[in-house]
């Protein structure tokens, strides 16, 4: 009788153990399945974000510089000059405060006519520019020409667009943004047909216009000197980065910063 009772207890315990094990296995299976689904959803989400960001970057590149001009072949000398020119821009931008981070540098010619470009992208939304940011932007724009002069002892036509942009920024500081000590918050220039190209006209005397021209020249020259000092003091990095860009033709901002921050052996 006792043996029968023990056998019944053992059987019940075994059945309970089997049932518990089955439940645990089922829970484990459901958990694994749900984790797999969550992982797949997260992976797909990350993949979609990556593709979208990649697409936006490609679109931004084409919008800024145009499509790659595949039939344009630079001579070795021109390729070297463009490499130093673009690294000049990037190096001065990176070594100043209040400058947007460098995202990409390339010496691949574009359909816009550019033989290369340095792309800077602000972190987050950016709707205003401070005086320091504009000043540093002018220094960055002059840095391509500065690099050519330091390394090759001569200058080329490659800085034409940089010169135009630097001049426009310097003039706008004085005539539109009230950022000059001499004129302060006085509007010297008005913008007409802002949505049709934004034609501008000066609303001041001939003497004042001459003074504005002199101030514009002074601002650009001052930033040119600043860029010259930065590149001269960092000549070793200028050479190293230009050589790397010459070989790779296109580099990311991360590659650029890794070399820039690498300690000298």
């Amino acid at each position: 009788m006792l043996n029968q009772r023990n056998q019944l207890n053992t059987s019940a315990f075994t059945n309970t153990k089997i049932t518990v094990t089955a439940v645990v296995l089922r829970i484990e299976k459901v958990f694994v399945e749900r984790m797999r689904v969550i992982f797949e959803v997260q992976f797909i989400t990350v993949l979609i974000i990556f593709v979208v960001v990649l697409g936006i970057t490609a679109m931004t590149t084409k919008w800024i510089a145009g499509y790659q001009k595949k039939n344009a072949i630079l001579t070795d000398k021109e390729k070297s000059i463009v490499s130093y020119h673009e690294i000049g821009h990037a190096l001065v931008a990176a070594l100043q405060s209040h400058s947007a981070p460098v995202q990409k540098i390339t010496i691949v010619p574009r359909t816009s006519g550019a033989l290369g470009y340095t792309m800077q992208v602000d972190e987050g939304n950016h709707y205003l520019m401070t005086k320091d940011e504009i000043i540093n932007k002018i220094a960055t724009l002059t840095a391509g020409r500065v690099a050519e002069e330091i390394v090759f002892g001569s200058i080329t036509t490659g800085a034409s667009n940089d010169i135009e942009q630097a001049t426009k920024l310097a003039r706008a500081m004085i005539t539109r943004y009230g950022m000059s000590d001499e004129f302060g918050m006085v509007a010297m220039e008005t913008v007409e047909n802002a949505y049709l190209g934004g034609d501008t006209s000066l609303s001041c005397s001939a003497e004042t216009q001459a003074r504005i021209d002199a101030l514009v020249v002074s601002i650009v020259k001052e930033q040119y000197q600043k860029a010259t000092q930065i590149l001269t003091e960092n000549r070793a990095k200028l050479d190293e980065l230009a050589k790397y860009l010459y070989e790779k033709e296109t580099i990311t901002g991360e590659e650029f910063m890794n070399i820039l921050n690498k300690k000298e052996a």
Side-chain angles (χ1 to χ4, degrees), residues 37 46 97 127 131 161 194 231 233 235:
V37 172
V46 171
S97 57
Y127 301 106
K131 182 178 179 179
N161 185 253
L231 293 182
E233 291 174 353
R235 175 61 191 271

Side-chain angles (χ1 to χ4, degrees), residues 45-245:
T45 302
V46 171
L47 185 61
I48 291 173
I49 293 173
F50 175 76
V51 171
V52 170
V53 170
L54 195 63
I56 291 174
T57 301
M59 288 168 59
T60 302
T61 298
K62 291 170 183 175
W63 177 69
I64 292 175
Y67 288 89
Q68 179 177 332
K69 195 172 183 180
K70 297 181 180 179
N71 61 342
I73 301 176
L74 300 179
T75 65
D76 291 341
K77 180 66 178 292
E78 288 175 330
K79 188 176 176 183
S80 180
I81 291 172
V82 176
S83 295
Y84 273 100
H85 184 106
E86 297 304 331
I87 291 299
H89 287 311
L91 202 51
V92 169
L95 294 175
Q96 294 183 108
S97 57
H98 309 293
S99 291
V102 174
Q103 180 174 322
K104 181 180 179 180
I105 312 169
T106 183
I107 56 171
V108 177
R110 318 299 293 190
T111 53
S112 65
L115 299 179
Y117 67 89
T118 299
M119 181 188 291
Q120 292 176 258
V121 179
D122 288 302
E123 296 175 339
N125 295 328
H126 198 68
Y127 301 106
L128 298 172
M129 287 187 74
T130 66
K131 182 178 179 179
D132 287 338
E133 287 174 331
I134 297 176
I135 286 290
N136 289 346
K137 180 66 175 176
I138 295 171
T140 299
L141 287 166
T142 67
R145 166 65 65 83
V146 170
E148 292 180 21
E149 193 168 20
I150 289 174
V151 177
F152 302 100
S154 62
I155 55 179
T156 71
T157 58
S160 60
N161 185 253
D162 301 329
I163 294 169
E164 182 181 351
Q165 290 188 57
T167 304
K168 282 183 177 179
L169 281 174
R171 184 173 295 278
M173 285 179 63
I174 300 166
T175 62
R176 294 173 58 194
Y177 304 143
M179 292 180 175
S180 73
D181 295 332
E182 183 166 337
F183 294 110
M185 292 180 60
V186 177
M188 302 291 180
E189 186 178 65
T190 57
V191 180
E192 301 171 355
N193 301 320
Y195 299 103
L196 298 174
D199 296 330
T200 60
S201 61
L202 288 172
S203 53
C204 55
S205 67
E207 292 79 7
T208 301
Q209 290 181 28
R211 183 56 189 155
I212 290 171
D213 290 340
L215 288 174
V216 169
V217 172
S218 176
I219 290 171
V220 175
K221 279 188 173 181
E222 184 179 346
Q223 296 315 303
Y224 189 94
Q225 292 302 319
K226 182 170 75 172
T228 300
Q229 181 179 351
I230 291 173
L231 293 182
T232 301
E233 291 174 353
N234 294 273
R235 175 61 191 271
K237 286 297 181 182
L238 176 64
D239 291 334
E240 183 181 4
L241 284 160
K243 180 181 178 182
Y244 186 79
L245 179 60

